[in-house]
Amino acid sequence: MAVAGGCPDRTPVIIPGGMMAGTLYDLMAHYRLGYPDIHTNPAAMARYARLLQETCNLDNYGVPLCMTVEAEDFGAGIDLGNPLKEPRVSFFPAGAVETIPDLTPHPSGRHKAVLDAIGLLSGKDIPVVGNIIGPVSLLTSLTDPMTVFRAMEKRPDEVSQALDHVARHILTFGKEQMSAGADFLVIADPSASGEILGPDYFNRYASPCLNQTITSLKTKRKPVILHICGNIQTILPQLAKMPWDVLSVDSMVALKKLRDYFPDRVLMGNLSTHLLVSSDETRVTASAARCLEYTAVLSPACGIPTITPVANIRAMTAASNPSKKTGIIQ
Amino acid sequence: MTATNQEITLFTLLCRAVAGMDEEGAVRAAQEVLDAGIDPFRAIHEGLSKGMEIVGHKYETGEYFIPQLLICSDAVYAAMDVLKPALENHREVLPKTIVIGVVEGDTHDIGKNIVKLMLASAGFRMVDLGRDVSLPLFVETALRENADMICMSTLMSATMDGMGQVVELLESGGMRNRFKVVIGGGPVSEGYARKIGADGYARNAATAVKLIRSLLKTP
């Protein structure tokens, strides 16, 4: 399948949603969108996704607009924030890793809202990107991250069991999104960064459950994008073994070197979100042009701050030159 | 001061236990320090802190990552718990106090927590304000706790300007020279620290300990 969208003759430019949502304060204020409706109401969620796509000439719609839905299903308290502050977990439902398998996920109202929003967005010319959280990040949303990291050394079996438990729910939500009409699925696991875990723990914990989740998702025959934050140098061999269709990386990763390492696979990224929020259109255009030399999908490298100027996002999309189309997921 | 063979042995045991993630070993060695009547402060500086220096080095060189750092610092805490009663007799030596937090608008606190653990392990008294901390609270707390330093972090460029505002609050209150200010986090840099008038920038937890030791003139 090819990525088609606002401008099918260029390297696609996307803002995936989920961890990399692009909930822009200026856009919400301009259209007087109710808050937190874009996170709770399917029509409002779909409307925002459409507005972002149209305003910035993106090649995708992306929902949900946060990475807290799965945690809420497991009973986490969520502070939905405000137009300047994205939703976040405000209460951990588990005191320890070993009690996480006792938590039974119940699809929340927002879980259903995401699926309905995908239904509203799908069937048009613009592909819909669904989003799920990675297993390690979900674990660190259900109990204190420090507890999780300690347990990785001290109680490895319990961590593996907890990861298996949460990964099953993530997989279900991902498949539901695909059935509802998502054309692609992004799995973003920021807590599984190589910089946080290092190669040994990544190999022991993150690799098996990410591998299994992606493999299962692929039975739906739709492309899966994996996003890992931070420097991935130390975990490249593990990433190479995973069946992702597209790998999305952070801004400190040199795409040129990464393409040398993965010559036959599709890479996505990795425009600095710091640049997007704090710089001007000229510099965004120049930086996007450098990314376009090596990436098959141009996108922000991480979560986009809410105060990012719309003009800078538009400069990112405009930088994708129609004459330099690159090969993308076939 | 010349160390006896027994002191050297025990300090080495403490150091190796911390660097080797061996909490039980650290506790055992700390107890032996007490039993032998050895100065607990020297055990901290020449044993536990040396161990954490090795841990910091292993972290910088990519041998240790966050989980290992946490386990090593747990070993320090456990050994400190054993030494605490003996430390009570040395009240004249007060540790330097550092107020630390993630600035308002940001809730990413893994990095801050690691820096806090490393500094506490290095013997500093830490007052942790948590995440999404209102800017005046940094100043109020530093005053109340009679702190020596304010440490701020953020992972988001949208909130980094809050750090400069804290420095401005200190300046407008005529107390800029009373507290050192150190910043850290993804979007900030050495140049940004200079721009806002902070005393230093630390790239990661290990460099934070070195920098802060030198700024606060602690061994």
Side-chain angles (χ1 to χ4, degrees):
Chain A
M1 109 180 267
V3 173
C7 186
D9 295 329
R10 67 176 187 195
T11 298
V13 188
I14 75 167
I15 294 182
M19 194 202 99
M20 299 177 280
T23 44
L24 305 178
Y25 175 83
D26 288 346
L27 201 56
M28 284 186 267
H30 181 77
Y31 288 98
R32 297 168 191 268
L33 298 182
Y35 199 93
D37 306 24
I38 62 163
H39 297 292
T40 56
N41 175 303
M45 196 183 292
R47 180 164 180 235
Y48 182 82
R50 267 191 220 107
L51 282 174
L52 183 68
Q53 184 276 325
E54 287 164 7
T55 310
C56 302
N57 195 23
L58 295 165
D59 293 297
N60 78 303
Y61 299 130
V63 288
L65 301 164
C66 71
M67 56 181 297
T68 56
V69 176
E70 296 91 336
E72 187 172 355
D73 290 347
F74 275 99
I78 307 297
D79 171 0
L80 287 172
N82 58 51
L84 285 170
K85 202 148 85 175
E86 293 180 326
R88 67 177 177 95
V89 171
S90 56
F91 165 77
F92 296 125
V97 171
E98 44 270 44
T99 60
I100 285 177
D102 300 334
L103 300 173
T104 306
H106 301 288
S108 62
R110 295 204 301 129
H111 178 120
K112 297 186 189 84
V114 173
L115 302 179
D116 290 345
I118 290 173
L120 292 171
L121 290 166
S122 69
K124 316 286 189 304
D125 290 339
I126 310 286
V128 181
V129 177
N131 289 269
I132 50 176
I133 190 173
V136 177
S137 301
L138 182 52
L139 216 56
T140 57
S141 302
L142 300 179
T143 189
D144 177 20
M146 300 292 135
T147 309
V148 174
F149 297 138
R150 279 189 179 91
M152 286 183 172
E153 175 64 27
K154 293 193 162 175
R155 292 190 297 285
D157 293 345
E158 282 84 349
V159 174
S160 295
Q161 281 161 17
L163 282 170
D164 284 347
H165 181 63
V166 300
R168 278 197 290 277
H169 181 61
I170 293 169
L171 180 62
T172 303
F173 190 37
K175 285 187 172 176
E176 285 171 349
Q177 290 185 46
M178 287 168 156
S179 299
D183 301 291
F184 296 79
L185 200 75
V186 175
I187 178 165
D189 208 346
S191 290
S193 153
E195 278 174 88
I196 293 178
L197 299 186
D200 293 347
Y201 292 114
F202 187 89
N203 198 26
R204 199 186 309 170
Y205 298 113
S207 253
C209 53
L210 279 173
N211 213 337
Q212 199 180 353
T213 305
I214 297 170
T215 304
S216 289
L217 285 169
K218 283 176 64 91
T219 59
K220 299 286 277 185
R221 309 183 73 79
K222 289 181 175 180
V224 177
I225 301 168
L226 172 66
H227 177 82
I228 297 285
C229 288
N231 191 341
I232 56 170
Q233 190 62 37
T234 60
I235 54 172
L236 283 174
Q238 285 96 326
L239 289 172
K241 291 178 202 153
M242 294 184 198
W244 43 265
D245 297 286
V246 181
L247 180 65
S248 162
V249 293
D250 219 334
S251 54
M252 76 269 285
V253 177
L255 283 175
K256 184 177 186 301
K257 282 189 186 164
L258 198 63
R259 204 174 67 169
D260 290 343
Y261 194 86
F262 293 118
D264 303 320
R265 300 184 76 175
V266 181
L267 303 178
M268 168 172 138
N270 65 347
L271 191 62
S272 160
T273 50
H274 178 52
L275 186 84
L276 276 172
V277 70
S278 62
S279 191
D280 55 31
E281 293 160 65
T282 311
R283 289 182 61 195
V284 167
T285 304
S287 189
R290 283 193 294 275
C291 292
L292 282 162
E293 288 179 33
Y294 305 105
T295 191
V297 185
L298 178 63
S299 67
C302 200
I304 304 165
T306 51
I307 57 167
T308 302
V310 173
N312 284 358
I313 306 277
R314 290 175 57 89
M316 172 182 77
T317 44
S320 183
N321 187 336
S323 65
K324 281 192 178 175
K325 192 189 174 197
T326 53
I328 177 63
I329 315 158
Q330 300 301 318
Chain B
M1 189 186 299
T2 315
T4 64
N5 281 345
Q6 186 186 26
E7 284 169 343
I8 292 169
T9 306
L10 287 177
F11 296 161
T12 307
L13 279 177
L14 280 172
C15 174
R16 283 190 186 151
V18 168
M21 296 190 279
D22 178 9
E23 184 174 325
E24 285 172 22
V27 166
R28 238 185 352 260
Q31 189 57 53
E32 285 183 49
V33 164
L34 289 191
D35 294 345
I38 296 168
D39 179 359
F41 273 101
R42 290 185 57 215
I44 292 169
H45 285 301
E46 294 172 44
L48 298 177
S49 291
K50 288 273 185 294
M52 275 316 270
E53 272 174 35
I54 296 173
V55 173
H57 181 70
K58 284 174 183 269
Y59 176 64
E60 276 186 288
T61 54
E63 185 181 341
Y64 277 1
F65 291 87
I66 303 292
Q68 292 96 334
L69 276 189
L70 289 172
I71 304 293
C72 295
S73 94
D74 284 352
V76 172
Y77 274 106
M80 294 277 270
D81 279 345
V82 174
L83 298 173
K84 239 179 220 160
L87 291 172
E88 296 292 312
N89 303 327
H90 292 73
R91 280 184 186 278
E92 68 277 13
V93 189
L94 288 173
K96 302 273 185 179
T97 297
I98 300 173
V99 172
I100 191 168
V102 176
V103 292
E104 190 162 20
D106 190 357
T107 59
H108 299 87
D109 61 356
I110 289 179
K112 183 268 295 173
N113 289 338
I114 300 300
V115 172
K116 175 191 143 195
L117 282 172
M118 293 285 278
L119 288 170
S121 303
F124 293 100
R125 176 175 163 255
M126 302 304 294
V127 181
D128 185 5
L129 295 175
R131 54 191 192 174
D132 197 8
V133 178
S134 90
L135 306 177
L137 190 61
F138 281 102
V139 179
E140 289 160 23
T141 310
L143 282 171
R144 193 184 61 239
E145 299 287 340
N146 197 19
D148 302 280
M149 177 177 278
I150 296 172
C151 286
M152 293 176 280
S153 82
T154 186
L155 196 64
M156 295 161 65
S157 23
T159 49
M160 60 198 261
D161 289 344
M163 299 173 164
Q165 289 170 36
V166 170
V167 177
E168 282 168 22
L169 283 174
L170 291 174
E171 274 165 4
S172 62
M175 48 194 157
R176 177 63 191 88
N177 293 331
R178 196 164 154 186
F179 311 105
K180 298 282 185 197
V181 176
V182 167
I183 62 168
V188 301
S189 63
E190 189 79 54
Y192 184 73
R194 271 199 301 276
K195 183 179 148 198
I196 64 166
D199 296 290
Y201 155 77
R203 192 169 43 84
N204 61 34
T207 55
V209 174
K210 278 185 213 157
L211 169 75
I212 288 167
R213 272 193 174 138
S214 112
L215 282 173
L216 294 182
K217 300 186 172 60
T218 49

